[in-house]
Amino acid sequence: MPILKKEYHRLIYLFGLLLFAASLPLSKYFMSVSQMVLIGNWICEADYKNKLRRFTANKAALVACLIMVLHLVGLLWTHDFDYAFKDIRIKVPLLIMPFIVASAEELSIKNIYTILLVHAGAVFAGTLISVWLLLFTVVNDIRNVSVLISHIRFGMNVCFAVFALTWMISRSAPIKSLVARIGAGLMVVWFIIYLFITGSVTGIGIMIVTGLVLVLRFIFTKAQLSVKVLVAGAALAGSLGMYFYISSIVNEYKNVEPIKLSELEFKTPYGNTYQFNFDNKQIENGHYTWVYICWDELAEAWNKRSSINFDSNDRKGQPVRYTIVRYITSKGLRKDKDGVNSLSGDDIKAIEDGVANIRYGENGNFRDRVINLLWEYDNYQLYANPSGQTMMQRVELWKTSLRIIAAHPWLGVGTGDGKNKFREELEQINSPLKDLGLRSHNQYLAILISFGLIGFIIFLFALLYPAVHQKRFFTYLYFIFICIMLISMFTEDTLESQPGVSFFAFWNAVLILGWRKENNEKKQIPNNEKEKTIAGLLFKRRHKKTPS
């Protein structure tokens, strides 16, 4: 027997889903709490026979659970069980959400609207928190403004909210009034601006690629010829605009101030000798880094202005002398006594905090993020050292991943051995990344490493088949969701962290298994249907007639 009336258990179920949706961009803790609410409500509601029947009869739900089953089977040939069980604990939502949602009564279109709006509101709150930190605190790395979850996972939430709100604005419900539509539209614009303010290369890339895929989907499936031509032209113009914008950034980066050997000055104003390294082509903001350096003057002047000794490390653990050289170069100054003395107090603090370029100290933007990636590439080409360089670290890790896969092609190394295999492989090549505990930064490679080609095929089947079986793959909401997931998996271990796996497990379950089948993009809910939203149930209770 259920502890409460069925309608109250329904309310708790919807509350658990809403809490989960709100926690995705805001709180790891409440991601766990929301799942505990859903599990506790499932147990207390009883009716196990019907719920288990609904789950076992849902082929899509059973296949969705295969991802978790794959990790459990992978225990058979793993050696590091501590890491394996930690990995499985993180991935528990891959089992919980399909099971809970598929065994519950299906959600209505109004329930879906409410969940989407709550999620968008939570994303909006997250962006406000990040901007507040950006404006009123010292931010050494622009990515650190996302303090609640990682900036990449937050960017995924922002992208989903952009497309979900756009979809709701275009429909007759739930955003009905003109004021509400304008507000939702402004929120979409704000989310896009936020991605550029924070220089979220991954988020911007996901948004652009997903947008282009949606355009292609629209052109080939729905539009008339004239609309197809217009939309294709707009997409082409936007793509060209982004191409030329990025090209202009690259050209600016490569536009280096020339050095005229005949005009070189070899002495500082204080009579000391400058050092020049013309073989090293590193640049900062259009200036060569390793010219006009006087180490003695730098050390003396720096030690007078900072509590961090010239021969020690900055707060990021980098040799502060190199941070000083890069930072002063980025200002177009010579690396001598006058160069250090010309630095402001904010400049000194930025260097102490590990900021190596004045632009990075200005909280950054998309343009400066691209310039930083170009610098990382040049530095990797010169020194083959990816330390502290996000993109080049990925390149190093992808190469390492391929070597591990080649050694274990069919079944992989098991659920828990991937981390150790990475460390062993990086130690063999004496990589600077060997002690950082990093993994592939590519979900597809991560699955191939753990479960080999056989497991990878099962993973793709479990990833894509449920939506195909339920005829949801090309419905708008699921399509944008799976685009975001598939794109993110190229540069991230999306399912190897709690926020990433929770994002996938929640939306995958809700958009495939939880949504009532008749509620597709063409059909509306009949006017006489009794919606089981929180507001609807409360309204029903208040207006229920009292027996005479």
Side-chain angles (χ1 to χ4, degrees):
M1 291 291 293
I3 294 178
L4 301 172
K5 291 183 179 180
K6 184 176 181 179
E7 60 185 22
Y8 288 123
H9 281 293
R10 180 67 173 178
L11 284 174
I12 296 171
Y13 171 65
L14 293 174
F15 171 76
L17 293 179
L18 292 174
L19 181 62
F20 205 153
S23 69
L24 289 174
L26 294 178
S27 172
K28 295 179 183 179
Y29 174 74
F30 281 104
M31 291 177 201
S32 300
V33 169
S34 59
Q35 291 175 76
M36 296 305 297
V37 170
L38 292 170
I39 294 170
N41 183 65
W42 191 94
I43 294 171
C44 294
E45 188 180 15
D47 193 23
Y48 304 125
K49 182 178 179 180
N50 286 328
K51 288 191 286 191
L52 290 173
R53 176 183 53 79
R54 282 193 289 263
F55 173 70
T56 54
N58 194 325
K59 188 182 294 185
L62 295 172
V63 173
C65 292
L66 278 179
I67 299 178
M68 187 61 175
V69 173
L70 186 63
H71 286 76
L72 294 172
V73 173
L75 293 173
L76 295 176
W77 60 92
T78 195
H79 297 89
D80 188 347
F81 285 97
D82 288 340
Y83 190 84
F85 288 127
K86 176 184 176 182
D87 190 40
I88 287 173
R89 186 173 66 252
I90 290 173
K91 293 183 170 69
V92 164
L94 296 173
L95 185 62
I96 290 177
M97 291 309 296
F99 180 75
I100 295 289
V101 174
S103 62
E105 292 183 7
E106 292 171 316
L107 300 166
S108 69
I109 187 67
K110 288 185 178 180
N111 296 149
I112 298 296
Y113 284 152
T114 304
I115 291 170
L116 293 172
L117 288 172
V118 167
H119 176 259
V123 171
F124 181 68
T127 62
L128 294 183
I129 293 170
S130 295
V131 171
W132 186 89
L133 292 172
L134 198 61
L135 294 176
F136 299 108
T137 64
V138 177
V139 178
N140 300 328
D141 187 331
I142 191 65
R143 293 168 293 184
N144 293 338
V145 298
S146 181
V147 295
L148 302 172
I149 63 173
S150 77
H151 67 288
I152 292 176
R153 310 296 185 261
F154 187 76
M156 290 168 55
N157 280 275
V158 173
C159 289
F160 184 79
V162 165
F163 291 110
L165 281 175
T166 303
W167 177 73
M168 286 190 285
I169 292 170
S170 68
R171 296 169 67 86
S172 59
I175 308 175
K176 296 181 179 180
S177 71
L178 178 61
V179 174
R181 287 177 181 270
I182 293 174
L186 291 175
M187 191 178 292
V188 169
V189 173
W190 164 245
F191 287 160
I192 295 172
I193 292 173
Y194 171 85
L195 292 176
F196 280 90
I197 289 175
T198 56
S200 177
V201 175
T202 302
I204 294 168
I206 289 174
M207 184 176 64
I208 291 173
V209 175
T210 302
L212 290 175
V213 173
L214 279 175
V215 169
L216 293 174
R217 169 182 174 270
F218 175 77
I219 289 174
F220 286 110
T221 60
K222 296 185 179 181
Q224 298 177 345
L225 180 61
S226 59
V227 177
K228 289 180 180 180
V229 173
L230 180 64
V231 173
L236 179 62
S239 300
L240 288 174
M242 180 59 69
Y243 169 78
F244 286 119
Y245 176 57
I246 294 177
S247 295
S248 68
I249 296 174
V250 174
N251 291 333
E252 176 190 348
Y253 175 80
K254 293 182 177 180
N255 184 22
V256 186
E257 180 184 27
I259 296 177
K260 297 180 180 179
L261 296 178
S262 60
E263 299 178 3
L264 286 179
E265 299 177 17
F266 295 95
K267 296 291 184 179
T268 72
Y270 304 95
N272 296 304
T273 302
Y274 282 122
Q275 291 184 13
F276 299 84
N277 184 351
F278 297 111
D279 294 328
N280 192 324
K281 302 299 183 182
Q282 277 188 327
I283 55 177
E284 298 284 347
N285 299 350
H287 306 284
Y288 285 110
T289 303
W290 302 105
V291 299
Y292 284 113
I293 299 178
C294 180
W295 293 107
D296 291 339
E297 288 189 11
L298 273 179
E300 181 183 357
W302 174 260
N303 288 334
K304 287 181 179 179
R305 299 203 58 187
S306 173
S307 60
I308 296 180
N309 190 274
F310 186 78
D311 294 319
S312 61
N313 294 333
D314 59 37
R315 295 192 180 101
K316 283 187 178 180
Q318 309 161 140
V320 74
R321 60 168 60 205
Y322 298 131
T323 308
I324 296 167
V325 168
R326 286 187 59 195
Y327 193 95
I328 293 178
T329 303
S330 75
K331 297 191 70 171
L333 302 172
R334 295 183 180 182
K335 281 70 71 174
D336 55 18
K337 180 178 180 179
D338 288 343
V340 174
N341 289 337
S342 68
L343 298 175
S344 68
D346 289 339
D347 290 329
I348 296 294
K349 184 169 188 316
I351 293 170
E352 291 174 339
D353 289 336
V355 178
N357 188 301
I358 188 173
R359 284 177 174 166
Y360 310 157
E362 291 168 353
N363 290 330
N365 52 43
F366 178 73
R367 171 177 165 276
D368 294 334
R369 187 80 181 94
V370 172
I371 289 175
N372 186 47
L373 290 176
L374 292 170
W375 182 90
E376 287 184 7
Y377 175 77
D378 283 348
N379 189 65
Y380 186 68
Q381 292 294 101
L382 283 168
Y383 300 114
N385 183 358
S387 297
Q389 303 168 28
T390 55
M391 195 62 229
M392 293 305 105
Q393 281 186 355
R394 284 172 170 79
V395 172
E396 184 94 341
L397 295 171
W398 294 340
K399 291 179 181 178
T400 304
S401 298
L402 293 175
R403 290 195 296 270
I404 298 172
I405 292 167
H408 308 272
W410 299 111
L411 293 176
V413 300
T415 302
D417 287 6
K419 185 176 180 180
N420 289 335
K421 290 296 182 182
F422 258 94
R423 187 180 65 252
E424 292 170 7
E425 191 68 32
L426 292 170
E427 284 178 350
Q428 285 184 10
I429 63 173
N430 197 29
S431 170
L433 305 180
K434 60 187 178 183
D435 297 322
L436 299 182
L438 299 174
R439 294 185 62 178
S440 59
H441 269 290
N442 180 301
Q443 189 61 54
Y444 306 110
L445 294 177
I447 295 296
L448 281 164
I449 288 169
S450 295
F451 310 114
L453 183 59
I454 296 173
F456 182 70
I457 293 171
I458 295 172
F459 170 76
L460 290 181
F461 177 70
L463 186 69
L464 302 176
Y465 175 79
V468 174
H469 178 267
Q470 297 289 85
K471 297 181 173 59
R472 297 289 174 84
F473 195 88
F474 290 104
T475 57
Y476 179 89
L477 284 176
Y478 179 80
F479 192 71
I480 62 170
F481 158 72
I482 198 61
C483 282
I484 290 170
M485 291 304 306
L486 294 176
I487 296 166
S488 73
M489 289 181 185
F490 279 105
T491 58
E492 291 299 321
D493 305 293
T494 309
L495 302 184
E496 306 302 314
S497 67
Q498 184 186 2
V501 77
S502 296
F503 182 87
F504 171 78
F506 179 82
W507 291 118
N508 198 55
V510 168
L511 298 178
I512 296 177
L513 309 173
W515 196 352
R516 194 173 299 154
K517 289 184 178 180
E518 64 267 23
N519 292 332
N520 56 34
E521 293 180 20
K522 296 181 180 179
K523 295 182 180 180
Q524 298 294 326
I525 298 301
N527 292 330
N528 62 351
E529 182 176 330
K530 302 299 183 180
E531 294 294 345
K532 294 183 179 180
T533 60
I534 294 177
L537 283 171
L538 292 176
F539 184 87
K540 178 181 176 181
R541 294 288 300 172
R542 288 177 58 189
H543 290 77
K544 187 176 181 180
K545 292 183 179 181
T546 305
S548 56

